[in-house]
């Protein structure tokens, strides 16, 4: 009888190194290697400042989440806090919004995985490679949480080593003069200065300048909130969560800003295009270190292109792996607070939420069918919801934290890991995110903004139906 009434519990199997690399890997995705191109074309070297500003806002929000998670390391993370300190609808909205967000991200990453595999083996159908890794990652997540943590640790290590290698190799080219006459730190201010496109200027095709690309830049930091999801399975969360929160942000700033400084120094920023990775473009323009292997000639561009494809494939696998993990834990938390069916609380012998994993993976796997049946434009509109969900998620974390602190103040409690500059950092973060929405309205991303109220109404209808 005692066993029958015992609630299923997740096991704490994620060590400090797991959490550090999970958090770091969550924000270092294909956005760094491929997404910088469009931003660089529209803003030039000033995108470096954009990543610094976005990194500060991301740090504020992660400290707010970190304070709540350290105080109450539970499954469901920000959905749990919204439910407890804001209300049942807020908890329902926060949890299901996050789940849908990463189902859509899962779909896009599965599609990307197939495309990256076809770079080397074009005869392999998209559905085949996507399906193979879909099954492999799902099976991995059905193991112990330590197995997930170990896989994500090594995925992230590969990405970090790749970025460090590019920074070191680029620094060598700059300092040794091997990069040629065009490789100079002066490229950061040559050709129109640090702000060659200004702050926010209209053009025939829309807007350009630093502010015009802040939305693109901000979304590169999506995934940092995974720190909060790991809390229920983290060893010594009161020590490891603060370490991960504090260290990950400056590491990301070093990797992003460091890589960008080298990137813009090696070649004039005008050489970067939106079609290809800036890293491939820049190293191709250098025309250095051509070599032969067994009589076959290779160029630096070919080497970097293959190396980059390996990295973006690893990044996509890492993001998808994190999506399966975080979605299953969010569903488990929603079931615990009564916002999802109770069968989602079932754990297997490895203490993994088996039904939540299979349900989340099943929905993500629909991308293979969606890509076949739904027209490309319809799929783009669906993916626009990713942007909407991400904004909702971040705003709700800041608002929930305000309510959390007020509740703790009434109880006369001092939290173990207080957020930075409370409550001003909350207000700054919210105003910044609202301003991002305003920029999106006039820079070709209006669909994502319009979807927000529609999506919130659908969530409210879902809430009323469930309750």
């Amino acid at each position: 009888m005692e066993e029958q009434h015992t609630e299923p519990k997740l096991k704490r199997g994620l060590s400090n190194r797991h959490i550090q690399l999970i958090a770091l890997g969550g924000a270092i995705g294909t956005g760094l290697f491929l997404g910088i191109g469009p931003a660089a074309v529209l803003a030039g070297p000033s995108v470096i400042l954009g990543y610094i500003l976005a990194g500060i806002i991301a740090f504020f929000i992660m400290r707010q989440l970190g304070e709540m998670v350290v105080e109450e390391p539970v499954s469901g993370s920000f959905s749990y806090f919204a439910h407890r300190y804001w209300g049942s609808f807020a908890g329902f909205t926060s949890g299901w919004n996050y789940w849908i967000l990463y189902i859509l991200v899962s779909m896009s990453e599965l599609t990307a995985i197939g495309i990256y595999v076809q770079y080397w083996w074009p005869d392999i159908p998209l559905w085949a490679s996507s399906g193979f890794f879909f099954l492999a990652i799902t099976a991995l997540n059905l193991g112990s949480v330590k197995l997930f943590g170990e896989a994500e640790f090594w995925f992230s290590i590969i990405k970090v080593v790749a970025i460090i290698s590019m920074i070191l190799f680029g620094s060598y080219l700059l300092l040794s003069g091997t990069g040629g006459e065009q490789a100079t730190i002066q490229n950061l201010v040559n050709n129109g200065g640090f702000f060659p496109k200004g702050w926010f200027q209209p053009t025939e095709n829309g807007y350009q300048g630093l502010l015009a690309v802040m939305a693109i830049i901000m979304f590169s930091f999506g995934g940092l909130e995974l720190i909060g999801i790991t809390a229920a399975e983290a060893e010594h969360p009161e020590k490891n969560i603060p370490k991960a929160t504090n260290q990950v942000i400056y590491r990301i700033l070093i990797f992003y800003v460091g890589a960008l400084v080298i990137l813009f120094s090696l070649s004039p920023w005008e050489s970067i295009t939106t079609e290809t990775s800036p890293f491939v473009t820049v190293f191709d323009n250098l025309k250095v270190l051509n070599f032969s292997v067994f009589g076959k000639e290779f160029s630096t561009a070919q080497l970097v292109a293959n190396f980059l494809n390996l990295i973006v494939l690893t990044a996509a696998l890492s993001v998808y792996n994190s999506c399966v993990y975080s979605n299953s834990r969010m569903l488990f938390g929603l079931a615990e607070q009564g916002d999802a069916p109770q069968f989602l609380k079932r754990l297997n012998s490895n203490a993994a939420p088996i039904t939540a994993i299979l349900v989340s993976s099943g929905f993500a796997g629909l991308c293979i069918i969606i890509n076949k049946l739904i027209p490309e434009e319809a799929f783009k509109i669906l993916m626009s919801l990713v942007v909407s969900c991400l904004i909702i998620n971040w705003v709700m974390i800041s608002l929930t934290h305000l309510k959390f602190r007020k509740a703790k103040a009434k109880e006369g409690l001092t939290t173990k890991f207080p957020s930075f500059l409370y409550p001003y950092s909350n207000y700054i973060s919210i105003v910044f995110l609202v301003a991002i929405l305003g920029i999106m309205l006039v820079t070709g991303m209006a669909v994502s903004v319009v979807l927000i109220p529609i999506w919130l109404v659908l969530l409210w209808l879902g809430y009323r139906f469930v309750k």
Side-chain angles (χ1 to χ4, degrees):
M1 289 293 291
E2 189 175 323
E3 282 185 7
Q4 290 175 354
H5 291 286
T6 301
E7 286 290 315
K9 294 292 181 185
L10 301 173
K11 289 184 179 179
R12 299 191 180 277
L14 295 175
S15 66
N16 179 48
R17 69 183 177 89
H18 291 145
I19 295 170
Q20 294 263 3
L21 269 296
I22 286 169
L24 190 58
I28 299 179
T30 52
L32 173 60
F33 299 101
L34 300 175
I36 289 173
V41 169
L42 290 173
S46 64
V47 294
I48 297 171
L49 177 59
Y51 275 95
I52 293 173
L53 294 174
I56 292 171
I57 297 300
F59 174 67
F60 286 162
I61 296 173
M62 289 310 102
R63 280 297 298 262
Q64 293 156 21
L65 177 59
E67 179 177 1
M68 295 188 288
V69 165
V70 169
E71 204 64 27
E72 301 175 50
V74 296
S75 59
S77 189
F78 32 83
S79 174
Y80 165 86
F81 297 116
H83 190 277
R84 178 170 182 179
Y85 296 102
W86 193 345
S88 57
F89 175 58
F92 179 93
T93 299
S94 179
W96 283 108
N97 174 75
Y98 184 83
W99 186 78
I100 287 293
L101 163 63
Y102 279 99
I103 286 296
L104 294 173
V105 172
S106 297
M107 289 180 173
S108 66
E109 295 300 331
L110 272 176
T111 304
I113 287 168
I115 293 170
Y116 299 145
V117 169
Q118 283 184 333
Y119 177 83
W120 291 311
W121 299 287
D123 294 333
I124 296 179
L126 187 68
W127 64 266
S129 51
S130 296
F132 172 79
F133 286 108
F134 164 76
L135 293 173
I137 296 296
T138 301
L140 187 150
N141 275 269
L142 289 171
S144 67
V145 69
K146 187 166 285 188
L147 180 62
F148 158 78
E150 203 65 33
E152 195 56 32
F153 175 83
W154 289 106
F155 278 147
S156 298
I157 282 288
I158 292 171
K159 291 186 286 186
V160 169
V161 168
I163 297 170
I164 292 175
S165 299
M166 287 188 174
I167 292 174
L168 292 176
F169 181 53
S171 299
Y172 163 76
L173 293 175
L174 278 173
L175 297 174
S176 67
T178 313
E181 294 181 1
Q182 79 276 16
T184 169
I185 196 73
Q186 294 299 315
N187 283 326
L188 293 174
V189 292
N190 289 342
N191 308 308
F194 191 68
F195 294 91
K197 300 295 184 76
W199 285 87
F200 195 64
Q201 296 178 354
T203 66
E204 293 181 1
N205 300 318
Y207 287 84
Q208 63 182 16
L210 177 59
L211 295 181
V213 299
M214 282 308 298
I216 299 173
I217 292 171
M218 194 67 201
F219 301 134
S220 297
F221 290 92
L224 279 176
E225 66 279 348
L226 191 58
I227 296 176
I229 302 293
T230 65
E233 295 169 284
E235 296 174 354
H236 312 296
E238 70 286 349
K239 294 180 181 178
N240 291 333
I241 297 295
K243 280 183 182 178
T245 304
N246 284 333
Q247 293 180 15
V248 75
I249 191 63
Y250 72 75
R251 288 180 182 177
I252 285 175
L253 285 175
I254 290 172
F255 292 143
Y256 271 89
V257 175
L260 286 173
V261 168
I262 296 299
L263 186 72
F264 283 104
S265 298
L266 286 174
S267 186
W269 64 268
E270 294 97 331
S271 65
I272 298 173
T273 66
T274 58
E275 286 79 21
T276 59
S277 165
F279 291 96
V280 174
T281 303
V282 167
F283 282 96
D284 186 27
N285 289 338
L286 292 175
K287 306 294 183 191
V288 296
L289 300 181
N290 289 339
F291 58 95
S292 63
V293 178
F294 300 117
K296 187 176 181 179
E297 292 294 324
F298 289 89
S299 68
T300 305
Q302 289 175 308
L303 179 66
V304 173
N306 281 277
F307 178 64
L308 182 68
N309 195 65
L310 173 64
I311 299 309
V312 292
L313 175 59
T314 302
L317 288 170
S318 171
V319 173
Y320 180 63
N321 188 35
S322 296
C323 286
V324 174
Y325 171 81
S326 59
N327 268 345
S328 62
R329 270 54 179 183
M330 184 57 75
L331 272 188
F332 181 86
L334 284 168
E336 281 193 319
Q337 64 195 36
D339 289 329
Q342 293 301 292
F343 75 87
L344 293 169
K345 294 197 304 185
R346 182 186 168 196
L347 302 179
N348 65 11
S349 58
N350 295 314
I354 180 171
T355 50
I357 290 172
L358 293 177
V359 168
S360 296
S361 296
F363 275 94
L366 291 175
C367 77
I368 300 170
I369 300 172
I370 288 174
N371 281 328
K372 292 285 185 182
L373 301 180
I374 297 182
E376 186 177 346
E377 288 303 313
F379 190 65
K380 282 183 180 178
I381 293 174
L382 187 64
M383 294 312 299
S384 295
L385 189 59
V386 170
V387 179
S388 311
C389 292
L390 197 55
I391 290 284
I392 292 170
N393 186 43
W394 283 338
V395 169
M396 288 196 74
I397 289 174
S398 280
L399 289 173
T400 300
H401 178 257
L402 288 171
K403 297 179 181 296
F404 166 85
R405 282 294 292 263
K406 287 179 182 177
K408 294 303 176 186
K410 285 183 180 179
E411 296 172 15
L413 295 176
T414 302
T415 57
K416 303 181 187 73
F417 184 51
S419 65
F420 192 68
L421 292 178
Y422 167 84
Y424 305 108
S425 63
N426 298 69
Y427 300 139
I428 292 170
S429 299
I430 294 167
V431 169
F432 183 89
L433 292 171
V434 171
I436 291 288
L437 290 177
I439 292 169
M440 288 164 57
L441 274 174
V442 297
T443 56
M445 301 180 73
V447 173
S448 295
V449 181
V450 173
L451 282 174
I452 290 178
I454 297 173
W455 175 231
L456 290 175
V457 168
L458 289 174
L459 285 170
W460 182 82
L461 291 173
Y463 171 75
R464 297 305 306 169
F465 175 78
V466 168
K467 296 300 178 181

